[in-house]
Amino acid sequence: MLTGLDAQRENAVQRQQALLARAIREQTWNDYRKFLEKSITAGISKLTLAQGANRFDPIWNEPALAQALLRWQSLGWFPESAIRTHVQDAYSGELLLWLLDHNGAMEELLLAMKPEDDAAKVLGFLVGAWPNTSGKMDRYFPLALACALVFDREVGIPNPIGGSSTDGAVVDPMRRYLWYLNKNEKGQLKAPVHHSTARDLVWAVCAPVSESELEWSLDKMHLGRNNWGSAFGMIEYLMERAVEGLNPYQEYSFAEILKEGGICGDQSYFCANTARAQGIPAMILSGETSQGPHAWVGMKIQADEWTTGIGRVGGVSKGMTHDPQTGKPVTEQEVILWGDRAHQSPITTLAVARHLWLAGFLEATGDEAGAAAAILLANQLGPSFTETWAARFDLLKKQTKLEGTPAQPGNLEDWKAFAAALRREFKDNPRMAGLAAVAESEYIFPYAEEGDAGRALLRERRRIGRNAGEQADLIAESLKREADLILKRGAPTAHKEISVLYDRALREYGGSITGFKMMAADYFSFLKSDPELARKAARDIELAFKRVVETGTTDWFRAQTESSIYQMICDCYRAAGDEERAVMLEKRYQTLLKRAKRGAL
């Protein structure tokens, strides 16, 4: 009984506790979850669900039903074998019993867990953290969960400092957890960890440094959280390291970097990891600018504000970092999205997540119409949450069937509406609209009239040019999609059409270094099998480079960038059989580099 007043009576609560105790005693977690599933289904059937944005509110307004649904979802992350390994009796099951009795903790878990996580190791860490938390798990569950998620795989310390017994080549997960807990209890952290979510804390606890380095930051760094970015500029730029690869360090410690100086990578390492020692979520971003490769820092400088502007320079087409929880790439534009007001609102975030969790339950129990309604409501409540668009994409995919003659998706108009709505939502951040391109390529363009796709992609490139700022690599991706479509049509003039397409695009959009490189590489790749067109492509790339990129500067960084493009052009000429032209261009860029190096030093 999960609904109505009787669900809250003492005998009902005691029955729930008895069932949990039995699941531990008999190790029947799959059976317990199936029992929850049947009870939740019965409970939902007794409710009156209206239409509109509040349709599913009655479910979450029933305390016992809401808790059962969270339990079902939470237990779904952990295989029964993993629970049996770590929860063998009432004593070892204290953490799990606590978790399943605290809705906020289950919601924290569900918001933070990802498919790439090793759920068995996550549970093992949480069970191990329980006796070390001295009854303060309410306060420190997000920290414990963050450590569990980051350290479910080994995290190395490339530069262990000090040689003491507490330092090692890898981070000790429990010691790292207790270090943050103890420092937080003493009030020594600029960003108290009990105020942060697990999703943010994974970007703090992941610092790949020895604990002696963490201690150094607490002892020597006296900046405020909101101006910790100034730590980037504390490191004097070392030109000899940039030009000649000078390594002035013995241990690569924070102290040495501060004393000796360094390049952008060292500045970012120092800034991000001294911040992480203070409990401040931070990351090192990298990308290519008009001055060459660059590294800078993203940081959560306030409880509700992420910035990616620390040490950043202009012209970065695609800044990237890696998620310390999964190892997967994360773009700068995704980090910027985290600062969106809706994403920083716990109420909105939870409302969106609850609808997606409910959709998962309804789908698992065969209620496809209810699952679809929950997904669409999640998207309506959180249009800036990319996971709601991913769920809507998967829903459309399941609903897609080819019909008619010639065959086409019966829900073609739904796909068109999906792609258009997604692009509108992320008009100012088009990288987050990547699923629109997938929808077009798989479910729209193959069934469009000839020429429609090309016109749509041309409009897309114009929108990117107007709204996307530095993200010119998205233009290169759009061009590649159009060239692929031209090839698929199989016209005898396909390669010549591609040549015309890219020759014009290199001149119009080649100002971005990353974009130019991508366009040039794709252009030559499409035509390299035809010797005549390959030589033309190499020549077009060279001419466009000289027109929109080359400056002949003696600035070391820009000269390196231009030389790297010269090298690419030389490779194209060689692949096209023109060795003479390749040798001539090599001499040119080598002279350029020598002159720039003299000027730099």
Side-chain angles (χ1 to χ4, degrees), residues 326-342:
T326 65
K328 295 176 68 174
V330 176
T331 67
E332 180 182 17
Q333 285 71 36
E334 185 174 347
V335 180
I336 292 170
L337 185 62
W338 298 346
D340 178 82
R341 184 168 61 180

Side-chain angles (χ1 to χ4, degrees), residues 181-201:
L181 187 154
N182 291 330
K183 299 302 179 185
N184 194 76
E185 285 290 285
K186 295 175 182 177
Q188 294 179 333
L189 303 179
K190 291 292 191 296
V193 292
H194 65 283
H195 291 322
S196 293
T197 66
R199 287 169 296 151
D200 283 341
L201 286 172

Side-chain angles (χ1 to χ4, degrees), residues 103-259:
N103 291 8
M106 287 189 284
E107 289 167 345
E108 187 79 18
L109 176 82
L110 295 173
L111 286 168
M113 288 283 287
K114 298 179 181 179
E116 297 84 2
D117 293 316
D118 187 327
K121 289 183 178 179
V122 170
L123 180 60
F125 182 90
L126 293 174
V127 169
W130 176 261
N132 290 312
T133 311
S134 304
K136 298 178 180 177
M137 192 55 85
D138 282 358
R139 183 177 174 90
Y140 288 111
F141 182 72
L143 175 65
L145 180 57
C147 289
L149 297 172
V150 169
F151 302 121
D152 62 346
R153 57 190 174 86
E154 193 174 86
V155 174
I157 301 176
N159 305 286
I161 309 299
S164 69
S165 60
T166 59
D167 291 323
V170 297
V171 174
D172 181 298
M174 191 60 67
R175 191 157 60 224
R176 182 58 55 93
Y177 167 63
L178 293 175
W179 187 90
Y180 276 103
L181 187 154
N182 291 330
K183 299 302 179 185
N184 194 76
E185 285 290 285
K186 295 175 182 177
Q188 294 179 333
L189 303 179
K190 291 292 191 296
V193 292
H194 65 283
H195 291 322
S196 293
T197 66
R199 287 169 296 151
D200 283 341
L201 286 172
V202 296
W203 295 95
V205 301
C206 64
V209 300
S210 304
E211 285 170 26
S212 59
E213 287 286 83
L214 301 180
E215 294 282 358
W216 186 93
S217 176
L218 297 188
D219 184 46
K220 303 295 185 182
M221 299 289 287
H222 304 294
L223 302 171
R225 176 176 181 173
N226 63 345
N227 67 340
W228 202 273
S230 61
F232 189 97
M234 290 171 63
I235 308 305
E236 183 179 357
Y237 199 88
L238 194 59
M239 186 60 75
E240 292 87 348
R241 182 158 168 77
V243 177
E244 297 185 328
L246 172 69
N247 179 12
Y249 317 115
Q250 296 296 316
E251 294 185 311
Y252 201 66
S253 66
F254 292 155
E256 279 189 318
I257 297 171
L258 182 61
K259 177 184 178 183

Side-chain angles (χ1 to χ4, degrees), residues 243-244 552-564 566-567 583 585-601:
V243 177
E244 297 185 328
T553 181
T554 57
D555 176 86
W556 167 255
F557 300 105
R558 179 69 186 194
Q560 270 200 316
T561 298
E562 294 182 12
S563 295
S564 70
Y566 262 125
Q567 288 176 309
V583 171
L585 291 178
E586 277 180 338
K587 291 179 180 177
R588 176 174 174 79
Y589 81 71
Q590 287 169 356
T591 300
L592 177 71
L593 274 181
K594 288 177 183 177
R595 188 168 70 243
K597 184 175 182 179
R598 285 196 301 270
L601 299 175

Side-chain angles (χ1 to χ4, degrees), residues 253-505:
S253 66
F254 292 155
E256 279 189 318
I257 297 171
L258 182 61
K259 177 184 178 183
E260 302 293 343
I263 56 175
C264 58
D266 308 311
Q267 293 170 314
S268 299
Y269 174 89
F270 179 87
C271 179
N273 287 308
T274 56
R276 288 166 168 170
Q278 305 281 346
I280 304 171
M283 63 187 66
I284 298 173
L285 291 148
S286 61
E288 191 166 33
T289 76
S290 60
Q291 299 297 102
H294 183 57
W296 67 102
V297 173
M299 191 179 296
K300 197 165 190 185
I301 56 172
Q302 295 287 354
D304 60 352
E305 182 182 354
W306 276 96
T307 179
T308 62
I310 298 170
R312 196 184 192 279
V313 298
V316 182
S317 185
K318 188 178 182 181
M320 297 289 294
T321 187
H322 284 86
D323 186 338
Q325 180 178 343
T326 65
K328 295 176 68 174
V330 176
T331 67
E332 180 182 17
Q333 285 71 36
E334 185 174 347
V335 180
I336 292 170
L337 185 62
W338 298 346
D340 178 82
R341 184 168 61 180
H343 287 253
Q344 289 301 317
S345 165
I347 295 174
T348 302
T349 299
L350 189 56
V352 169
R354 281 178 171 178
H355 281 80
L356 293 178
W357 299 335
L358 179 61
F361 174 83
L362 295 174
E363 183 179 3
T365 54
D367 185 353
E368 295 183 2
I375 287 170
L376 294 176
L377 269 177
N379 186 235
Q380 179 182 328
L381 293 168
S384 67
F385 289 74
T386 54
E387 52 266 44
T388 69
W389 292 97
R392 190 171 159 186
F393 178 93
D394 290 339
L395 175 63
L396 279 174
K397 190 174 179 180
K398 290 172 187 173
Q399 296 171 340
T400 299
K401 294 180 181 178
L402 296 182
E403 302 172 352
T405 305
Q408 66 178 27
N411 57 352
L412 180 60
E413 294 306 312
D414 292 336
W415 278 113
K416 291 179 180 178
F418 170 84
L422 181 51
R423 292 201 184 282
R424 281 196 304 273
E425 175 61 32
F426 294 109
K427 179 182 68 173
D428 298 326
N429 194 353
R431 195 178 301 284
M432 296 296 99
L435 273 180
V438 179
E440 290 165 348
S441 296
E442 294 184 11
Y443 300 105
I444 300 175
F445 289 165
Y447 310 100
E449 295 291 331
E450 185 172 344
D452 285 356
R455 286 187 288 272
L457 289 166
L458 178 60
R459 288 194 297 271
E460 177 191 342
R461 291 193 289 275
R462 287 173 177 168
R463 283 196 301 269
I464 293 171
R466 288 194 306 269
N467 303 319
E470 300 164 325
Q471 300 176 62
D473 62 299
L474 295 175
I475 292 176
E477 291 176 7
S478 173
L479 286 163
K480 189 174 187 302
R481 290 171 61 206
E482 184 168 352
D484 283 330
L485 287 170
I486 292 171
L487 279 182
K488 286 179 181 177
R489 287 203 304 269
T493 59
H495 286 91
K496 290 186 178 179
E497 290 180 53
I498 291 172
S499 177
V500 171
L501 175 72
Y502 272 100
D503 186 26
R504 183 187 305 122

Side-chain angles (χ1 to χ4, degrees), residues 567-587:
Q567 288 176 309
M568 180 180 68
I569 296 170
C570 290
D571 291 340
C572 291
Y573 273 120
R574 284 199 170 92
D578 194 340
E579 177 68 20
E580 182 179 353
R581 187 68 182 170
V583 171
M584 188 194 76
L585 291 178
E586 277 180 338
K587 291 179 180 177

